[in-house]
Amino acid sequence: MAPAPLVSIVLPVYNDESTVAAALESCLAQTITAIEVICVDDGSTDGTAAIIERFAARDVRVHLIRHEQTMSAFEGRRSGVRAASADHVLFLDGDDELTADAAATARAKADATGADLVGFGVTVIEQDGSTGNRYEQRLQPVHTHLEGADVLRGLFPVGKAAQGQLWRYLFRTEILREAYALLPERLVLERVNDLPLMFLVAALSTRYVSISERLYRYHFGRGGSGHRVDTVDRAVFYTSAIRSIDVIRPAVESLAQMQPESPVLESYESARLAMIGYVCFQLIERSDSGVLDAALAHLHTVASAHDIIHAAARFYPATLAALSHHTPWLGAGERPVRSILLATSTLRTGGVSAVLTSQAHYLREAGYRVTIVARSGGSDPAAIPAGATFVELSVRGRVERLEAWAEICRIHEVDVVIDHQVLYTDHWPEFALMARAEGASTIGWVHNFVARPVFDGTERLTLIERCSNTLAQLVVLSPLDVAYFTLRGVTHVSFAPNPPSPLLLESVSHPVQKSAPQDRIELVWWGRLEQRTKQVRELIAVGVELRRLEVDFRLTIIGPDWDDVTAAKLNAEARRHRVSASVVAVGPLHGARLRTAIDAADAFVSTSIIEGYQLTIAEAQARGLPVLMYDLPWLTLVQGNDGVVSVAQGDARGLARAAADLIDEPQRYATLSQASMDAAERALDYDFARLYRDIVDGTVSPEFSPEPTLDDARQLLGLMVFYAERSNRDGRETSARASSISRRAWEWAAPIGKKVLRQFPRLRPYAHRAKQRLRLR
């Protein structure tokens, strides 16, 4: 009589005709003979069963159980476990093998420790026969010994990808039967049908041990693993893995009631999200381009958008970009808007921050709760508007920041996010997705002309276009911006003017009557001393041209130092061009001092090459100043504005002539001054509280979303070409300047270097490297 088996090897098979013989041979080659091999054929339509019958005919340890219809490997294993006569079970898939000592080694460890579970190592064999890949490394045992609730914590750690492969363990047979008893009969699970059982076994187990020996040989790419998603049916198959974890929820809840101190609910929710994230990752990585949209659409029928986004962010953050590109547009949310979040980088007193704080005022006036979130540190507490809640996103790390963002949305019950950073960051789509997962829609607010990324040489314009569906609405600053995005297929776009600044509001309510300049003209410019877009050095060029025209003038430049431009540098440059007596940078002025400086001027000069909504134009006009500027044709402030004189970009001589004309034509000056004040008043015609309410509700008037015209297209093409060429020219000039600086630095350092090298010749290779880096060879 044959001895009772020490290990039952359960082998579920389905159409494994080409591999099952090798699997069976590995079982029968075990170094202990006291085994049984229980093969469960799950309705195969090929010769699998016949091969097993031949093995059974020659070796009584091989048994065949046949399912009349296909019920999945989950039920196949259940049939095998029910039939097992040994008190320990190993699982083997029909396309893999066991090492010869697998049963003996694992059983010996179980006998020595009394463990419910014995973990062991795995060899992963690629289709080309290679081994040792990263997946193989992840499959090796992590813990040597776990007790009690730590078994579940260790095998299914919260926040880590769930690993549920049954073939990595030797099981006590009775604990497998207990786990199966928690689940419905005849449960068909097409994919990831091992993880549900493994999770329940881990929750029931009281002791786990492991050994480092690699006892299992897993063939990657056979069966359903590693295949392309080239059809919707294949996507449905991949996505069915989520049902495999969803189906055990009742069992998990039952265990949680029986074991109130167990981490079973927390571990389950983490494992479920990990599974959703894994499916999302697989669909994105393996789907053909023509299938991906349909695949992700199907995923959203199986899991909620909340769970998909949280799963992707926590476990597979690299998938967020693809989700941003392939998400459907949802528009404004259905729930009434009560709470609005305004997002920026750092809250300060000017620029985007000034628009945001003014916006907060009007939104509160419209009846909304307002929360302001700065995603970076360094905000000015004095800039926080009254009545608004301020939060600084202080955590670091991509996942941590996104989860903190979600928590902010929940805590403050945010209905709508207005993100003021879509033109300045690359990760805003991820924040928009996370807000959507929490039930809040996002409005992207663009603070510059649409060609700004072209001018800067970035890909952020493409990013906005590709990820526009993550936004309920895209708000720009001019009708021409609307035309661009509409022509590019982004239809949920509208424009809105920037709200008035305190200086503009005060100036319009206290108009200043200006007199025409006589003999001498006072010019003023204010803003940040920035060269790239505001071109402050062009002001010196204007001064040079005024001197050439023999005009008596003074040009006062007001503003804080910025990047590589300072008031001191501007004044030094003015001295080099011999206009320092007339062109003077005075640094920043505020309040009454700024108003006094403006009122002492006869005209405002602007040399910006690109702006979104140049509020200084309206501020200057409100105090009666004519505006002399380089052409920025998209600006709503200058359209139909008779107080503006514009010349072509870079035409410093044209600006100088326009200023000189104001001295010679007093009546024209008076007409321009009055037109300026009229234009400033028109800038305040908007009911901003109502406009913002319409934007957040998704009910913006069609006047703010005009249809593009052929003239719009023609103008946009010309401007895009101009900024692309200008960006390339600036890049070449920067490179040339860098090369010149490098050469001058080398020429200065060379005499000293030669002396050092004579004393320390071993340093000569380092000198050659430095010279190469400076591109001097």
Side-chain angles (χ1 to χ4, degrees):
M1 183 175 179
L6 297 175
V7 176
S8 297
I9 302 173
V10 174
L11 184 66
V13 293
Y14 174 73
N15 288 349
D16 290 317
E17 182 180 35
S18 63
T19 58
V20 69
L24 285 168
E25 293 287 4
S26 75
C27 295
L28 300 179
Q30 293 299 303
T31 56
I32 58 171
T33 58
I35 63 165
E36 63 177 356
V37 184
I38 303 172
C39 302
V40 184
D41 180 61
D42 196 36
S44 293
T45 58
D46 63 359
T48 300
I51 294 172
I52 297 171
E53 288 173 341
R54 287 199 295 272
F55 273 86
R58 84 179 200 213
D59 196 317
V60 296
R61 294 176 298 172
V62 178
H63 310 282
L64 175 61
I65 299 172
R66 302 188 72 160
H67 288 170
E68 294 303 319
Q69 61 186 35
T70 302
M71 293 187 292
S72 79
F74 181 84
E75 284 300 310
R77 294 190 185 97
R78 182 173 354 216
S79 296
V81 169
R82 283 175 172 168
S85 57
D87 54 7
H88 286 84
V89 168
L90 281 171
F91 289 107
L92 174 64
D93 284 352
D95 51 3
D96 297 329
E97 299 103 27
L98 294 168
T99 62
D101 60 342
T105 304
R107 176 62 196 251
K109 188 68 173 179
D111 289 343
T113 60
D116 298 315
L117 279 169
V118 177
F120 46 78
V122 175
T123 299
V124 176
I125 304 169
E126 298 269 18
Q127 290 179 321
D128 63 0
S130 63
T131 62
N133 62 20
R134 292 172 62 185
Y135 181 51
E136 178 177 301
Q137 295 168 22
R138 292 199 302 270
L139 290 176
Q140 308 316 311
V142 175
H143 306 282
T144 57
H145 180 267
L146 297 168
E147 295 277 348
D150 285 339
V151 176
L152 182 60
R153 290 192 184 97
L155 299 185
F156 288 89
V158 173
K160 301 292 185 181
Q163 297 278 1
Q165 300 87 352
L166 292 166
W167 32 259
R168 296 167 58 200
Y169 306 92
L170 173 78
F171 296 85
R172 190 166 56 83
T173 306
E174 190 56 37
I175 208 162
L176 286 169
R177 290 171 176 161
E178 288 179 35
Y180 268 118
L182 294 171
L183 296 170
E185 291 287 336
R186 298 180 66 82
L187 184 60
V188 177
L189 300 177
E190 293 181 341
R191 190 160 183 268
V192 189
N193 45 58
D194 47 2
L195 187 143
L197 183 65
M198 186 65 228
F199 184 90
L200 294 176
V201 168
L204 291 167
S205 295
T206 58
R207 179 173 295 170
Y208 162 87
V209 296
S210 73
I211 52 181
S212 59
E213 287 90 338
R214 301 189 179 192
L215 307 180
Y216 194 92
R217 292 172 58 80
Y218 171 69
H219 290 272
F220 185 82
R222 290 180 180 175
S225 62
H227 290 199
R228 293 294 303 170
V229 180
D230 53 1
T231 66
V232 174
D233 286 343
R234 176 67 68 174
V236 171
F237 169 72
Y238 268 80
T239 308
S240 66
I242 297 172
R243 179 175 177 268
S244 298
I245 191 74
D246 282 345
V247 77
I248 67 170
R249 182 181 289 277
V252 169
E253 292 173 347
S254 175
L255 286 174
Q257 289 180 346
M258 292 187 293
Q259 307 170 10
E261 302 302 319
S262 168
V264 63
L265 282 176
E266 184 183 12
S267 293
Y268 171 75
E269 292 299 341
S270 177
R272 180 176 178 274
L273 280 184
M275 179 58 64
I276 293 171
Y278 180 58
V279 169
C280 183
F281 167 77
Q282 286 189 310
L283 292 179
I284 288 170
E285 285 294 302
R286 296 178 179 172
S287 290
D288 293 346
S289 58
V291 176
L292 182 55
D293 281 334
L296 292 176
H298 177 71
L299 175 62
H300 279 79
T301 69
V302 176
S304 68
H306 174 279
D307 290 349
I308 292 169
I309 300 306
H310 277 272
R314 185 177 302 177
F315 296 102
Y316 297 92
T319 63
L320 289 171
L323 287 174
S324 300
H325 298 161
H326 294 275
T327 190
W329 179 67
L330 296 182
E334 295 181 358
R335 68 190 188 191
V337 179
R338 298 184 178 90
S339 176
I340 296 177
L341 186 155
L342 304 179
T344 187
S345 176
T346 303
L347 190 64
R348 295 178 180 169
T349 55
V352 172
S353 293
V355 175
L356 184 147
T357 53
S358 182
Q359 198 173 78
H361 165 76
Y362 286 110
L363 288 169
R364 281 184 46 77
E365 186 179 290
Y368 300 109
R369 296 195 310 273
V370 175
T371 302
I372 298 173
V373 177
R375 294 196 183 110
S376 301
S379 293
D380 182 357
I384 301 172
T389 301
F390 178 74
V391 180
E392 188 174 279
L393 195 62
S394 56
V395 296
R396 296 184 177 181
R398 186 178 181 185
V399 174
E400 292 76 14
R401 287 170 66 80
L402 288 172
E403 291 187 341
W405 186 256
E407 185 177 8
I408 291 169
C409 289
R410 288 193 297 270
I411 291 173
H412 297 277
E413 299 177 325
V414 174
D415 301 305
V416 171
V417 175
I418 299 179
D419 196 332
H420 289 268
Q421 290 291 298
V422 294
L423 198 63
Y424 308 120
T425 67
D426 294 329
H427 296 300
W428 65 263
E430 299 172 8
F431 286 91
L433 283 176
M434 187 58 78
R436 179 188 285 195
E438 297 301 325
S441 58
T442 296
I443 296 170
W445 213 280
V446 176
H447 283 274
N448 212 306
F449 180 49
V450 71
R452 176 66 187 269
V454 176
F455 180 53
D456 290 342
T458 73
E459 298 179 1
R460 286 178 178 160
L461 188 56
T462 300
L463 181 69
I464 293 173
E465 293 178 24
R466 294 191 67 185
C467 300
S468 62
N469 279 355
T470 64
L471 301 172
Q473 185 77 1
L474 180 64
V475 179
V476 294
L477 292 174
S478 80
L480 200 59
D481 292 289
V482 172
Y484 174 83
F485 283 111
T486 303
L487 290 168
R488 295 290 292 167
V490 181
T491 57
H492 48 288
V493 58
S494 59
F495 79 91
N498 275 346
S501 66
L503 176 59
L504 177 55
L505 289 169
E506 177 191 337
S507 300
V508 169
S509 60
H510 298 86
V512 177
Q513 296 298 322
K514 301 295 293 183
S515 300
Q518 296 180 354
D519 300 328
R520 174 185 173 91
I521 186 168
E522 293 284 344
L523 303 172
V524 68
W525 179 97
W526 71 94
R528 63 179 184 269
L529 303 184
E530 191 251 339
Q531 177 60 24
R532 175 73 175 159
T533 61
K534 296 188 181 298
Q535 301 188 125
V536 289
R537 291 192 177 95
E538 283 288 302
L539 295 168
I540 295 174
V542 173
V544 170
E545 291 298 328
L546 283 167
R547 185 192 63 186
R548 191 185 63 80
L549 294 172
E550 299 181 348
V551 175
D552 188 4
F553 77 98
R554 179 181 173 89
L555 173 51
T556 302
I557 303 172
I558 303 168
D561 297 345
W562 203 266
D563 295 336
D564 62 336
V565 181
T566 66
K569 288 182 178 179
L570 279 178
N571 289 331
E573 191 167 339
R575 285 194 296 273
R576 287 196 297 273
H577 288 85
R578 300 179 181 178
V579 291
S580 57
S582 302
V583 180
V584 180
V586 298
L589 299 177
H590 304 284
R593 294 182 66 196
L594 177 58
R595 291 192 297 273
T596 298
I598 295 171
D599 290 341
D602 301 306
F604 173 72
V605 179
S606 171
T607 53
S608 290
I609 190 171
I610 195 166
E611 294 273 3
Y613 190 89
Q614 194 174 352
L615 199 54
T616 51
I617 291 175
E619 291 171 340
Q621 291 195 302
R623 304 195 78 82
L625 298 185
V627 173
L628 314 176
M629 63 182 292
Y630 285 166
D631 192 26
L632 302 175
W634 61 87
L635 289 184
T636 56
L637 285 170
V638 307
Q639 292 164 6
N641 189 335
D642 293 331
V644 171
V645 178
S646 62
V647 301
Q649 276 289 328
D651 185 6
R653 181 172 297 181
L655 275 188
R657 285 175 178 163
D661 290 344
L662 295 182
I663 300 175
D664 297 334
E665 302 179 36
Q667 184 55 50
R668 182 165 181 264
Y669 179 89
T671 301
L672 288 168
S673 178
Q674 183 60 52
S676 282
M677 289 188 285
D678 293 343
E681 288 185 359
R682 289 197 300 273
L684 301 180
D685 282 348
Y686 298 100
D687 182 345
F688 283 95
R690 179 175 179 178
L691 175 58
Y692 291 155
R693 185 169 59 247
D694 291 345
I695 289 172
V696 299
D697 289 339
T699 57
V700 183
S701 169
E703 70 176 292
F704 294 101
S705 302
E707 287 297 317
T709 66
L710 182 60
D711 186 61
D712 290 334
R714 186 180 297 111
Q715 194 171 20
L716 282 166
L717 283 171
L719 287 166
M720 288 296 182
V721 169
F722 168 77
Y723 285 111
E725 291 176 346
R726 182 59 183 262
S727 178
N728 289 335
R729 190 194 77 184
D730 289 352
R732 290 193 298 270
E733 289 177 352
T734 300
S735 178
R737 284 196 299 271
S739 177
S740 176
I741 292 169
S742 297
R743 185 170 294 279
R744 289 200 301 271
W746 182 263
E747 290 172 353
W748 174 84
I752 301 172
K754 289 177 181 177
K755 293 180 181 178
V756 172
L757 290 175
R758 280 196 292 269
Q759 292 183 323
F760 304 100
R762 291 182 179 178
L763 296 179
R764 195 173 298 278
Y766 298 99
H768 283 297
R769 283 184 211 166
K771 192 172 182 179
Q772 288 172 341
R773 287 176 184 172
L774 290 172
R775 301 177 184 174
L776 296 172
R777 290 195 62 181

